[in-house]
Every structure is written in C-alpha cells, then in structure tokens.
Amino acid sequence: MEANSENTGIKQANIVAIGGETAADLQQITPIDSYVLSLTQKEDPQILYITTASGDDAQRIEQFEKKFASAGHKVSVLSIFRPPYHSVKEIDELISQADVIFVAGGNTRAMMAVWREFSIDQQLKSALRHGAVLCGVSAGAICWFDLGHSDSSGGYSLVPGLGLLAGVMCPHFGAEEGREESFMTLLKEQSLPLAYAADDGVALHFRDGKLHDIIRTEAAKNGKTLISVNDAENSAPSAE
C-alpha cells in the first residue's frame, strides 16, 4: 500500500491506530503506550493530548495526565471547548512543538468538523511531515485514514478522515456488539479493497504509509484484527 500523496517523501512518518482501551488501560502505561513513546527516540518526548472528540471531557484528561505522570511524562492538552480558549496561532504552536500527538476517542464526525474550522487538520498533516508521531484510540485511530467506521451519526457508517493513510479503519472490532457485522457488510456493499480493523487493546503501526507492526496489550493477545490489503507485500494475517 502506498501512502497518500500528502505523505510522499516523508521519512519515518509514524502513525499508530489503537482499536480501543479497557478501563485498566486508562490507569497505567500499556505496551502500546511504551511502543508509541519509543518511536520518538527521545527520553522525554513532548506529549500533546487532543480531546476534541470527547468534548474535552475533564475526567478523560485527568486520567490521561495521571497515567503518563506515573511514568514521569508531562502532558500538554489541546482543548477547544474549555477555557482558556486557544487562538489558531496558539494551537499551531502546541501541535508543532509535540513529539507525540495522541487523539482521544469520541464523536469522529464532530471532531473532523471542529478541526477544519480551526485548521487543526492541516496542522496535523504538517506535524507528520516534521516527524511527530501521530496516534490515537477509536475516533483518534480512524481519523488518520481516508474513511473510518464510526457510530458518531447514531448508527454505524463510514465517515471521512484526514486521508494520511489510504483505506478504511474500524476500531473496537469484536468488542462492540454489531460492529464487526456492520463493517464486514459495508466492505462487501461498497467494494472497499483497503480495510483495517483492530480490537480493543490492539494497535496498528503504519510507517511511511505502510503497515509496519501490530502491537497488543497482554489482555488483548487474542484480540481480533482484520487486514485486507491488495498489495500482498503489506498484508498481514488476521488474529481471531
């Protein structure tokens, strides 16, 4: 699979799409978190947490900050709905200074609309070009792809993402009732050749636009994945 044209020429462009998190994952650094931090090759990477999809939920922000503080890492938070409100220039500075940008889950469709309004979509693309590691869970996973399998419209449907990765991504694969069935039906009906899905506790690492590795937490060692790629060089087996 070749990267979108916006990725052409980028060296070591790393994107990690996490299918979902358990309650335990929210309390402690997971193997996926450690893997993401290692991609920066820095002892003390600058971490930015973007919580647009959750409406800047205070509890989620506190959980995320505490989790990374337990490992000695400080987190900056980009909030849109909670004061103090940031200007576009301040948002750009937060994003451009980050080594890791972690996007929270929530309402994908609403998040994408807000990002366009504040030019966050363009700033994230610039951050990738300059070497930041982009990652996230659920909505924060599917936003990097051309399309994402989302329930943000009241039922399962495909919503457009940033297009930094070709294909369609489905989070919570096997973890949410009806999710897998809906996704498989949509793939057949719409003839989507590039498809990825990850269960809770499973992350897909893309390097320079190609699937590079699959990382799992211990609890998700048998978590479901789906990798359906026309390019045999980049295909990977499913794990039931």
Side-chain angles (χ1 to χ4, degrees), residues 31-49:
I32 294 173
D33 296 326
S34 297
Y35 183 91
V36 168
L37 294 177
S38 74
L39 294 175
T40 69
Q41 299 183 350
K42 295 184 178 182
E43 290 187 6
D44 188 22
Q46 299 294 308
I47 302 169
L48 177 63
Y49 191 36

Side-chain angles (χ1 to χ4, degrees), residues 11 18 26 30 63 65 74 87 109 113 138 144 158 164:
K11 294 184 179 179
I18 307 168
L26 297 173
T30 69
Q63 285 178 325
E65 290 177 326
K74 184 179 179 180
S87 67
R109 189 180 294 275
S138 191
W144 314 117
L158 298 181
L164 291 173

Side-chain angles (χ1 to χ4, degrees), residues 27-217:
Q27 304 298 324
Q28 59 189 0
I29 297 294
T30 69
I32 294 173
D33 296 326
S34 297
Y35 183 91
V36 168
L37 294 177
S38 74
L39 294 175
T40 69
Q41 299 183 350
K42 295 184 178 182
E43 290 187 6
D44 188 22
Q46 299 294 308
I47 302 169
L48 177 63
Y49 191 36
I50 301 181
T51 55
T52 316
S54 71
D56 298 332
D57 182 82
Q59 183 178 3
R60 292 198 192 186
I61 292 172
E62 183 180 3
Q63 285 178 325
F64 191 89
E65 290 177 326
K66 282 185 176 180
K67 179 170 79 164
F68 281 90
S70 70
H73 299 291
K74 184 179 179 180
V75 174
S76 297
V77 179
L78 171 52
S79 296
I80 298 296
F81 305 107
R82 295 167 58 88
Y85 302 114
H86 299 291
S87 67
V88 171
K89 181 180 179 181
E90 290 169 334
I91 292 172
D92 182 51
E93 289 176 352
L94 279 170
I95 293 175
S96 64
Q97 293 170 4
D99 300 307
V100 173
I101 298 173
F102 194 109
V103 177
N107 190 310
T108 309
R109 189 180 294 275
M111 175 181 72
M112 296 304 300
V114 172
W115 281 3
R116 288 191 294 270
E117 180 68 23
F118 286 86
S119 299
I120 293 173
D121 54 345
Q122 298 304 316
Q123 292 161 359
L124 289 172
K125 292 176 182 181
S126 177
L128 182 66
R129 288 193 294 270
H130 289 89
V133 178
L134 305 183
C135 64
V137 57
S138 191
I142 66 181
C143 64
W144 314 117
F145 292 79
D146 290 329
L147 295 167
H149 185 257
S150 172
D151 61 357
S152 57
S153 297
Y156 292 127
S157 62
L158 298 181
V159 299
L162 293 175
L164 291 173
L165 295 171
V168 57
M169 172 67 185
C170 174
H172 308 297
F173 193 61
E176 292 184 349
E177 184 177 356
R179 172 79 74 167
E180 181 179 353
E181 180 182 1
S182 169
F183 188 55
M184 300 305 292
T185 299
L186 282 170
L187 292 184
K188 292 178 181 178
E189 291 178 349
Q190 302 197 26
S191 301
L192 299 170
L194 301 177
Y196 305 89
D199 211 337
D200 292 0
V202 180
L204 308 180
H205 173 205
F206 293 82
R207 174 169 288 170
D208 297 335
K210 298 179 180 180
L211 182 64
H212 178 72
D213 203 356
I214 300 176
I215 312 96
R216 302 171 183 272
T217 64

